[in-house]
Amino acid sequence: SVGKYTPLALFPQMVMCGYLVTYDSLPNWSRWMLWFSPLTYAFRLALGEEFRECNDITGDIFDKGNSHFCFSYLETQGATGTHETEYWMALLIFFVFFRILSFYLFVRKSHL
């Protein structure tokens, strides 16, 4: 039933969120789809959290070149932390929207 359609919703989100293909690698005509994927915001938040210390690396383990590469990757993905609040708000809006939609569909189905 619904389980067989899950890949139809999940695979495009995986491609568009930046996990498989970066934003710069996407064709111009498809970049707008990135903003309608909740997985985009979750991926950017997780990436920013995982590599939060990228800007502050000053030890023997990482040299300056690796630190620059790490920060440029975060910058390419849009996960530098400058838009963290907006990403959390977008996820909250998606959550509320889908909860209201599921409640509406549940009530509608119960009246049939």
Side-chain angles (χ1 to χ4, degrees):
S1 61
V2 176
K4 63 183 174 186
Y5 298 112
T6 302
L8 290 175
L10 202 54
F11 184 71
Q13 288 187 53
M14 287 289 290
V15 171
M16 292 296 172
C17 79
Y19 179 70
L20 298 175
V21 180
T22 62
Y23 178 76
D24 295 336
S25 301
L26 291 171
N28 289 336
W29 61 268
S30 68
R31 290 183 181 180
W32 63 271
M33 290 186 272
L34 180 85
W35 305 111
F36 292 104
S37 169
L39 202 53
T40 298
Y41 303 106
F43 176 69
R44 288 180 176 185
L45 285 169
L47 195 63
E49 183 61 33
E50 182 67 28
F51 298 107
R52 183 174 298 274
E53 287 129 15
C54 223
N55 301 334
D56 304 327
I57 295 173
T58 56
D60 294 333
I61 300 171
F62 293 101
D63 61 316
K64 190 172 181 129
N66 287 339
S67 176
H68 177 70
F69 173 75
C70 183
F71 182 74
S72 75
Y73 177 70
L74 289 177
E75 204 170 38
T76 301
Q77 291 293 345
T80 56
T82 55
H83 301 290
E84 189 173 334
T85 306
E86 290 91 347
Y87 295 159
W88 279 112
M89 290 302 294
L91 282 176
L92 181 66
I93 289 168
F94 275 114
F95 175 77
V96 169
F97 171 75
F98 285 118
R99 294 302 289 182
I100 291 171
L101 179 66
S102 64
F103 179 74
Y104 168 74
L105 293 174
F106 178 72
V107 169
R108 184 171 171 224
K109 186 175 182 176
S110 68
H111 287 1
L112 292 178

